[in-house]
Amino acid sequence: MKITIVGPGAMGCLLACFLSKSKEEIWLLDKNPERAQKIKEQGLKIEGISGSWQVKVNIAAQAKEIAQPQDLVIIAVKSYDTKNAVKDIKSLLSETSLVLSLQNGLGNIEIISEVVGQERVLGGITNQGATLLGPGWVRHAGKAETVIGRLDGRLPVELRFIRELFNQCGLETRLSKDIKSLLWSKLIINVGINALTALTHLHNGKLIEFAGTRKILEEAVNEAVRVAKKKRIKLIYDDPLSKVEAVCEATAANVSSMLQDVLRRKPTEIDFINGAIVRQAQALNLPTPVNSVLTNLVKTIEASYNLRVNL
Ligand code: KPL
């Protein structure tokens, strides 16, 4: 199987490290040529809860360097880069290639489907905690399952093959027939954790240790759950709030992806997470004051990195 992972961020590098344990041909696509060259020379480095190892990886800065059609392309870029990433990989797709989104937030599957057609798209979630420490250097900070599925709910042989491959490489993975429910269930977790960690600069685990953040987390999650209910989306957890708290504990030492973005003064995925809840709620006439405040605060931070006050 030929697999290309698009995006050398924390998740892209983590996936490339694990999938490189297989005998399949794995490529990493990094649109930044200098960084791609560095990763080519140094390889990928992983440390943390699954041990430390280094691995050489095939890496390209442009799809044309990979040349051959890929069986699977995994999109691991930030949600705001999805559109460009999918346009870039068009030359890597044959009629049978599949494109798997392993990203946070709502809307990625729809963006990918517009470009490659819905029948080729796989959606997925992963609660793995990963922190990028440098180019191609990742800390594995929390182990959790990955779940993937198709939009039409079918579980064909290719999907089962991908599940086996991920599991053999040490990425605990299962399949789901209801990808929408899955994406919303992951969204609820990101709604509770990402913006709050980005605003407070706390590790995930600390959010539930302080009464203030615990309360805001609870309200943000409850608002999102009400939107999901009104849309008749069945969440995979009976008690979503307890699940978010459990993820805070399971990934206690993790720096959430949104906090990593803020610390690097980069754009965040706020519009695809809390912002998506606010937009969906507006269409349903539901109030989401807490998600609205979280969205506006994170957007203000994003827009004002060069105005930060230092004493
Ligand atoms: O998905 C995550 C993220 O940081 O984006 C969680 C699960 C919250 C782990 O940090």
Side-chain angles (χ1 to χ4, degrees), residues 104 186 190 193-194 204 247 254 256-257:
N104 281 337
K186 173 74 199 289
N190 293 126
I193 298 177
N194 290 32
N204 295 358
V247 174
N254 201 36
S256 82
S257 56

Side-chain angles (χ1 to χ4, degrees), residues 211-230:
T213 45
R214 200 181 180 121
K215 182 86 190 116
I216 300 170
L217 181 151
E218 183 181 330
E219 286 170 6
V221 167
N222 286 342
E223 285 178 8
V225 170
R226 281 196 286 273
V227 176
K229 272 205 179 122
K230 189 105 187 221

Side-chain angles (χ1 to χ4, degrees), residues 15-34:
L15 291 169
C17 282
F18 275 89
L19 293 179
S20 293
K21 290 181 177 180
S22 73
K23 58 178 181 10
E24 314 299 335
E25 184 182 322
I26 311 293
W27 281 86
L28 191 57
L29 186 60
D30 177 358
K31 66 178 182 192
N32 177 328
E34 289 86 45

